[in-house]
Amino acid sequence: MMMKIFIISALLLCLTACSSTTKTEREIALELSKMMKPVPESAIFSDPDYFIWGASMVEGDDGQYHLFYSRWPKEYGHNAWLTHSEIAHAVADNPLGPYKHSDVVLPARGKTYWDGLDTHNPTVHKFGDKYYLYYMGNTGDGKVMKGFNYSHRNNQRIGVAVANSPNGPWQRFDKPLIDVSPDDNAWDALMVSNPSITQKPDGTYLMVYKAVAKHKPLPGGGPVVHLVATSQSPTGPFIKHPDPVFTAKNDKFPAEDPFIWHQDGEFWAIVKDMRGAFTKQGKSLALFKSKDGFDWHKADNPLVSKIEINWQKNGIEKINHLERPQLWLKDGTPAVLFCAADRTREHSFNVHIPLLDPEELK
């Protein structure tokens, strides 16, 4: 009898150890701060005449790499992202570039459209045999201001354009994919923006998006939260779920710019940590994980990056902003991290950060 108890105890101990090892290996594989390689000086996308901001890349069936990015004329100043941004398209033969501008895919199309004057913050995916370009758009009075133009900010909505090829043509829709809720008490009663989407293992779709409530005085409103929505199709309709995610105690706006994906049986997200609520490193990029896509917790190793770039030739450079994280996954594994960056508010660019394969970390 004692021998049986000893054998069972030994087996349980072994199973516990094996489980712990598997978890540790998975955490190491997704400790993104250790996966980030030095950045070649050529791995940026910049234009002397435009502010360049968030960018998302997809590999085409043509073997080329297609970058979709936000841009707006430098003559209007940085805050014109809210009123004069457009989503453009660049192409390269290598995931790290250099990318060459090709065309504008979502230009202004008239203030009577919900996205008629401004398109911004793209995230592109291939689902099945089609390409889906998710973005936020708005309309308003078209005036550039030193501060926020709330006629545009509070008209932000989420849309999607669809194409058979990343070279287009792209089909836009006359109604938003995600609109504000009609209930003035809802978390997303004032505006919605910044979509991120992934396909779940069951073939359905999970989206996380930014929202602003009307709980605080207008026109700014607040608080700023992130919500989850699900759909059977990449073009909706999406069912909204009520509870905010990426929250922090006593912080009304802790996170921004989520990018979500599914890997190794879990959902993962990179967010902009506004003040270090998750990383304890001040303004930074933070890693979250979730079993189901609804209940999110910071990862065991939450720091993805401080606000800096580690260049191949010149080493670490502290910069002003590093945000709008977007991953390109190769065979389901993070391979390149695309981020919007700037040194001053006078110029901005997109940087493409190569990542180590998890096997290289073992």
Side-chain angles (χ1 to χ4, degrees):
M1 183 66 179
M2 291 298 293
M3 180 59 71
K4 288 183 178 179
I5 293 173
F6 175 79
I7 292 172
I8 292 172
S9 298
L11 286 171
L12 288 173
L13 183 63
C14 178
L15 287 171
T16 301
C18 290
S19 175
S20 176
T21 299
T22 301
K23 179 177 183 295
T24 301
E25 287 178 353
R26 184 167 66 248
E27 285 295 330
I28 290 173
L30 287 177
E31 192 172 349
L32 290 179
S33 63
K34 291 187 177 180
M35 293 171 62
M36 295 172 71
K37 299 166 67 173
V39 181
E41 275 68 12
S42 60
I44 65 170
F45 186 68
S46 182
D47 189 313
D49 298 322
Y50 287 88
F51 287 96
I52 304 295
W53 203 242
S56 177
M57 187 270 279
V58 67
E59 185 177 3
D61 294 332
D62 56 5
Q64 292 189 301
Y65 300 90
H66 298 263
L67 190 74
F68 295 86
Y69 64 97
S70 301
R71 73 173 194 174
W72 62 99
K74 288 186 72 174
E75 63 188 274
Y76 294 148
H78 182 83
N79 277 342
W81 71 266
L82 194 55
T83 56
H84 287 78
S85 176
E86 61 187 7
I87 294 175
H89 169 219
V91 182
D93 296 324
N94 185 289
L96 296 178
Y99 287 88
K100 183 179 180 180
H101 172 77
S102 173
D103 56 296
V104 176
V105 296
L106 299 181
R109 57 174 179 163
K111 65 184 301 180
T112 58
Y113 291 93
W114 70 270
D115 62 347
L117 295 187
D118 188 272
T119 57
H120 195 64
N121 284 353
T123 183
V124 65
H125 295 267
K126 184 180 183 184
F127 297 130
D129 59 356
K130 292 184 181 294
Y131 294 85
Y132 298 86
L133 181 61
Y134 298 86
Y135 64 101
M136 74 173 192
N138 69 58
T139 187
D141 62 18
K143 296 179 180 178
V144 177
M145 297 182 178
K146 289 184 178 180
F148 268 14
N149 181 327
Y150 282 101
S151 78
H152 282 259
R153 185 264 200 172
N154 292 346
N155 275 321
Q156 288 177 355
R157 304 293 186 264
I158 292 168
V160 64
V162 185
N164 293 323
S165 162
N167 291 308
W170 290 91
Q171 179 190 3
R172 293 166 76 166
F173 297 91
D174 292 341
K175 292 184 178 180
L177 181 65
I178 302 283
D179 207 338
V180 295
S181 293
D183 180 1
D184 278 352
N185 293 314
W187 292 109
D188 59 352
L190 185 57
M191 72 81 150
V192 294
S193 65
N194 295 1
S196 182
I197 190 169
T198 191
Q199 189 169 23
K200 299 170 66 176
D202 64 3
T204 62
Y205 298 86
L206 179 86
M207 178 180 286
V208 173
Y209 64 98
K210 176 182 173 181
V212 180
K214 293 182 177 179
H215 301 167
K216 304 295 181 182
L218 298 177
V224 180
V225 299
H226 290 87
L227 300 173
V228 179
T230 55
S231 176
Q232 299 290 318
S233 163
T235 55
F238 278 84
I239 299 171
K240 297 178 179 180
H241 293 253
D243 298 323
V245 297
F246 312 132
T247 57
K249 189 176 180 180
N250 299 323
D251 196 326
K252 298 175 182 177
F253 188 5
E256 174 80 297
D257 293 337
F259 177 86
I260 64 170
W261 77 102
H262 188 270
Q263 179 184 351
D264 297 333
E266 293 188 279
F267 294 91
W268 298 88
I270 305 175
V271 306
K272 175 187 174 184
D273 190 343
M274 299 292 284
R275 286 165 289 276
F278 310 114
T279 66
K280 309 303 180 187
Q281 297 290 329
K283 189 168 61 173
S284 53
L285 298 179
L287 182 66
F288 276 74
K289 63 179 179 178
S290 172
K291 287 292 185 184
D292 58 8
F294 304 103
D295 184 21
W296 289 88
H297 304 276
K298 67 179 182 180
D300 291 355
N301 299 290
L303 179 65
V304 175
S305 177
K306 298 179 182 178
I307 308 304
E308 61 189 29
I309 300 173
N310 183 15
W311 300 106
Q312 273 187 358
K313 290 184 178 179
N314 298 317
I316 293 175
E317 177 191 10
K318 303 288 184 181
I319 58 175
N320 193 30
H321 291 88
L322 187 72
E323 47 194 74
R324 287 301 303 162
Q326 295 280 306
L327 284 174
W328 175 60
L329 282 75
K330 183 178 181 181
D331 301 324
T333 300
V336 181
L337 174 62
F338 293 84
C339 288
D342 66 19
R343 298 179 175 95
T344 72
R345 277 309 199 203
E346 303 303 316
H347 180 70
S348 63
F349 56 93
N350 198 270
V351 60
H352 325 320
I353 304 169
L355 303 175
L356 288 166
D357 187 288
E359 293 297 321
E360 297 180 72
L361 294 173
K362 293 182 179 179

